[in-house]
Amino acid sequence: AFAEALSPDGRVVANTNVLETGRRRDDPETREALGSARTVFGRERGPHGPVLVLAAPIWRADEDFLLSGGPRKRLGTLRLGLSLNETLESARRVAAIMAGMTVGFCLLALTLSLALMRLVLRPVRTIATATARVASGDYGAQVPVESRDELGEMAEAFNRMGLTLSRTVVSRDRLEEALSIARATLDASADGILVVDRAVRAVTYNRRFVDMWGLTDEVMRTGDVMKMLEFALSLTEDPASFQAIATES
């Protein structure tokens, strides 16, 4: 890299390398820059590789130019040279640094995303675990309500469901216990008992009733009281008297 100032005839007035001061530039690129009234970009061969050169004219604005816009006087030309190899190397270093920073930011973002995901999914896993407990029969399983958002509402709903299931199961167990006691009492009776509904269909009966009238399991499974009566009539010696008695009762 270098910087130098040239006089209008191409002589080096100042240079970052003092050994170049006083020399005259007569190469085509320099002549083009000296003859141009605008900034010129070029490329030269330097001792360490190609050099990008920027040449800009230096003007002196005198009173005539400032007052009437007359012609300007050119003092010389400023040339700046920048090594392309160094520039490319710097660009590669910057690109490597940017790539490293990008990877670092991506890893940081991924880490934060995973941490946030674990934080969000933790209540979901808790609810899933409690659901498995309920499926295995533990209807009293509850989950902690740790927030007031959708997950918190889900946890509250799950707890209410578990409480309802627990009460339902307890009620069902008590009902089954009461039915078992009633069934045992029914079967222990010495009398034949048949319970019918309003549609005159058998609801329940005890074994004594079946044995008393000689009814078959096939007839009893129909639940049809009239079929039971017809079957019993077929076994009696006086069907008419038996039907009259059965109809009155």
Side-chain angles (χ1 to χ4, degrees):
F2 68 88
E4 66 180 8
L6 303 178
S7 64
D9 59 355
R11 192 173 303 277
V12 179
V13 178
N15 192 297
T16 51
N17 184 0
V18 295
L19 298 178
E20 296 292 327
T21 303
R23 294 186 179 183
R24 185 175 181 180
R25 306 293 189 198
D26 196 30
D27 55 274
E29 291 80 6
T30 302
R31 289 198 300 270
E32 180 184 359
L34 292 173
S36 176
R38 296 180 298 178
T39 301
V40 177
F41 293 90
R43 181 175 178 178
E44 297 180 2
R45 174 61 87 180
H48 303 292
V51 177
L52 177 64
V53 179
L54 178 149
I58 303 174
W59 305 95
R60 184 179 69 181
D62 51 18
E63 293 181 359
D64 292 339
F65 174 76
L66 295 176
L67 295 175
S68 61
R72 296 176 295 177
K73 184 177 180 180
R74 185 165 185 163
L75 297 178
T77 302
L78 177 65
R79 298 176 74 241
L80 300 176
L82 185 63
S83 173
L84 289 179
N85 290 339
E86 294 179 0
T87 303
L88 293 176
E89 181 62 27
S90 299
R92 282 192 290 267
R93 287 197 299 267
V94 171
I97 293 173
M98 293 299 295
M101 294 178 61
T102 301
V103 172
F105 282 129
C106 289
L107 291 177
L108 178 61
L110 179 60
T111 302
L112 292 177
S113 299
L114 291 176
L116 181 61
M117 187 178 298
R118 289 172 61 89
L119 182 63
V120 172
L121 291 180
R122 184 177 64 182
V124 178
R125 288 197 297 269
T126 303
I127 294 176
T129 302
T131 302
R133 290 174 57 188
V134 171
S136 63
D138 183 8
Y139 300 107
Q142 297 285 293
V143 297
V145 180
E146 299 177 348
S147 62
R148 296 285 94 189
D149 55 7
E150 291 80 0
L151 291 175
E153 294 177 359
M154 183 186 299
E156 291 180 350
F158 180 88
N159 291 337
R160 289 195 298 269
M161 179 196 69
L163 183 61
T164 302
L165 282 175
S166 180
R167 292 174 178 174
T168 302
V169 170
V170 170
S171 300
R172 186 188 65 186
D173 292 343
R174 290 179 179 175
L175 178 60
E176 291 179 351
E177 181 181 356
L179 289 176
S180 298
I181 295 174
R183 168 60 63 182
T185 303
L186 193 66
D187 289 339
S189 175
D191 298 326
I193 299 175
L194 171 66
V195 181
V196 298
D197 57 15
R198 294 181 179 180
V200 195
R201 292 189 61 83
V203 176
T204 186
Y205 52 87
N206 62 357
R207 194 65 201 175
R208 176 62 178 165
F209 174 80
V210 176
D211 296 340
M212 179 185 299
W213 298 106
L215 301 174
T216 63
D217 292 338
E218 181 180 357
V219 173
M220 297 307 298
R221 279 196 296 270
T222 64
D224 190 339
V225 175
M226 296 309 297
K227 288 185 176 180
M228 298 178 190
L229 179 60
E230 291 175 359
F231 187 84
L233 288 174
S234 66
L235 300 178
T236 59
E237 295 180 355
D238 188 0
S241 299
F242 178 80
Q243 185 174 5
I245 296 173
T247 304
E248 291 178 359
S249 57

